[in-house]
Amino acid sequence: MLLKKTKVYSNILISLLSVLTSGHEITQLKVPLHADPRRAAELSCHFHMDDQKLHSVKWYRDLHEIFRYNPSQKTQIRLFNVTGVMVQGGSCEQESCVVRVMPLPQATRAAYTCEVSTEGPMFQIARQTKHMTVVAMPEKDPIISGAPNLIRPGEQMLLNCSTDYSLPPSDINWYIDDVIQKPEAWQHTELSAPLAGGLRASWRVLRVRVPAAASGALRVRCESVLQVDPSVLREARAVVTVYSRTELSKYVSNKGGNFYVNANAVITIWVFTFISTL
Ligand SMILES: *[C@@H]1O[C@H](CO)[C@@H](O)[C@H](O)[C@H]1NC(C)=O
Ligand SMILES: *[C@@H]1O[C@H](CO)[C@@H](O)[C@H](O)[C@H]1NC(C)=O
């Protein structure tokens, strides 16, 4: 057991040493964390050859080769389209190679690896990997519609929260007075048709019945969640005032309709109009 472990450690040590003593290395790998599905992403690999001779530079998406540079061959650069990405172009300089990829409009995460190898007989390989996720962030906060300014105890309202276009589409959570609202079976998040790049908007309705004993205000909040790492939250808020007869008396001083004008004059007038239609 102990022997086995020692062997594993010495193997690790040997591979570490060979990395350290290898004459060439990848000095910088630039892969954007997020790629917008509407534009090409540029990935670059910078390397240092020391006194070794470059044999090839290869790029892989996951395990599939998408780019190959062989300075000694007639066709120096070759590009390969693979599932999930279109390879638009690539070029190399003395100690760097750049490849431009157009991701398919799907919210995926893939590993991009740059591999630099030296000429024979050593054929030493230096390799580095970074991940890129295809994502389009929402540019606007969600919007709540259907929220009245005032509501009576016992009444119900149908709220609708709609989000901006994004990839993947945003999930939606509803809160009332900071308590998350479990969706009813028919109230799941609905999706719009896709735009270019696969972006979709989403919306979700919430039916609220105001309890008979309620008074004061309901604080309504809709949260849109983009499930990337870390997740991106945006929100919209609305306040719905719950009125009762006792609260109305604060606004209406007598039958003649002389009402008290406060800072919330619009609401007061609305209440007054409502009362006079009773
Ligand atoms: C990849 O596919 C696109 C679209 O079909 C095409 O324009 C491009 O030339 C292809 N590239 C390669 C290297 O085959
Ligand atoms: C909610 O809003 C979305 C986006 O504006 C709309 O497409 C949808 O029909 C609305 N749903 C309801 C039930 O009002």
Side-chain angles (χ1 to χ4, degrees):
M1 194 63 195
L2 193 66
L3 259 176
K4 259 190 190 165
K5 261 196 179 154
T6 316
K7 192 166 180 224
V8 169
Y9 287 137
S10 59
N11 279 348
I12 291 174
L13 198 64
I14 288 169
S15 38
L16 269 178
L17 279 178
S18 67
V19 169
L20 291 177
T21 55
S22 151
H24 79 302
E25 59 175 353
I26 292 176
T27 51
Q28 193 181 32
L29 183 69
K30 284 194 198 164
V31 174
L33 194 57
H34 293 143
D36 189 312
R38 293 162 293 184
R39 329 181 213 299
E42 198 173 272
L43 323 178
S44 67
C45 182
H46 300 259
F47 45 90
H48 179 62
M49 291 312 292
D50 223 1
D51 50 6
Q52 308 246 23
K53 197 156 179 275
L54 179 68
H55 173 257
S56 68
V57 178
K58 291 178 182 179
W59 275 100
Y60 295 87
R61 180 189 190 270
D62 293 333
L63 297 175
H64 307 285
E65 188 179 350
I66 56 171
F67 171 97
R68 186 187 302 176
Y69 173 56
N70 270 125
S72 61
Q73 292 192 0
K74 202 167 154 221
T75 312
Q76 291 192 326
I77 288 182
R78 272 180 288 172
L79 308 173
F80 312 97
N81 279 339
V82 299
T83 317
V85 82
M86 260 167 49
V87 185
Q88 288 197 329
S91 59
C92 290
E93 287 178 15
Q94 189 68 28
E95 292 199 320
S96 67
C97 283
V98 171
V99 59
R100 277 185 317 283
V101 297
M102 187 73 194
L104 294 190
Q106 291 154 5
T108 50
R109 182 174 186 266
Y112 286 88
T113 301
C114 174
E115 185 185 280
V116 179
S117 46
T118 63
E119 279 287 12
M122 292 292 275
F123 289 114
Q124 279 178 322
I125 287 176
R127 211 183 264 131
Q128 259 189 49
T129 300
K130 280 188 177 170
H131 288 85
M132 185 171 87
T133 303
V134 181
V135 56
M137 303 289 177
E139 278 163 13
K140 295 179 215 141
D141 288 335
I143 294 170
I144 295 174
S145 59
N149 287 328
L150 287 157
I151 196 161
R152 274 195 297 192
E155 279 183 346
Q156 83 172 20
M157 56 186 174
L158 188 67
L159 305 174
N160 187 359
C161 177
S162 53
T163 72
D164 193 12
Y165 286 84
S166 64
L167 183 82
S170 301
D171 288 341
I172 297 176
N173 294 319
W174 278 109
Y175 296 85
I176 292 186
D177 292 338
D178 290 325
V179 178
I180 193 159
Q181 304 295 300
K182 284 220 184 92
E184 293 175 46
W186 55 280
Q187 292 175 338
H188 36 242
T189 303
E190 309 271 354
L191 300 181
S192 74
L195 294 184
L199 282 73
R200 290 174 192 265
S202 56
W203 53 273
R204 200 180 122 193
V205 295
L206 177 72
R207 185 172 52 183
V208 183
R209 184 175 290 283
V210 181
S215 66
L218 295 176
R219 283 176 298 120
V220 175
R221 182 157 63 91
C222 159
E223 183 183 76
S224 72
V225 186
L226 191 71
Q227 300 289 6
V228 290
D229 191 19
S231 56
V232 176
L233 299 186
R234 280 179 172 260
E235 62 171 33
R237 291 166 185 266
V239 175
V240 179
T241 305
V242 181
Y243 63 89
S244 57
R245 292 211 170 264
T246 50
E247 275 171 74
L248 284 184
S249 60
K250 286 182 204 162
Y251 299 103
V252 183
S253 63
N254 63 38
K255 236 179 153 187
N258 295 326
F259 53 89
Y260 175 86
V261 179
N262 65 2
N264 222 339
V266 178
I267 291 182
T268 312
I269 291 166
W270 196 91
V271 173
F272 177 68
T273 320
F274 180 76
I275 295 288
S276 43
T277 59
L278 285 181

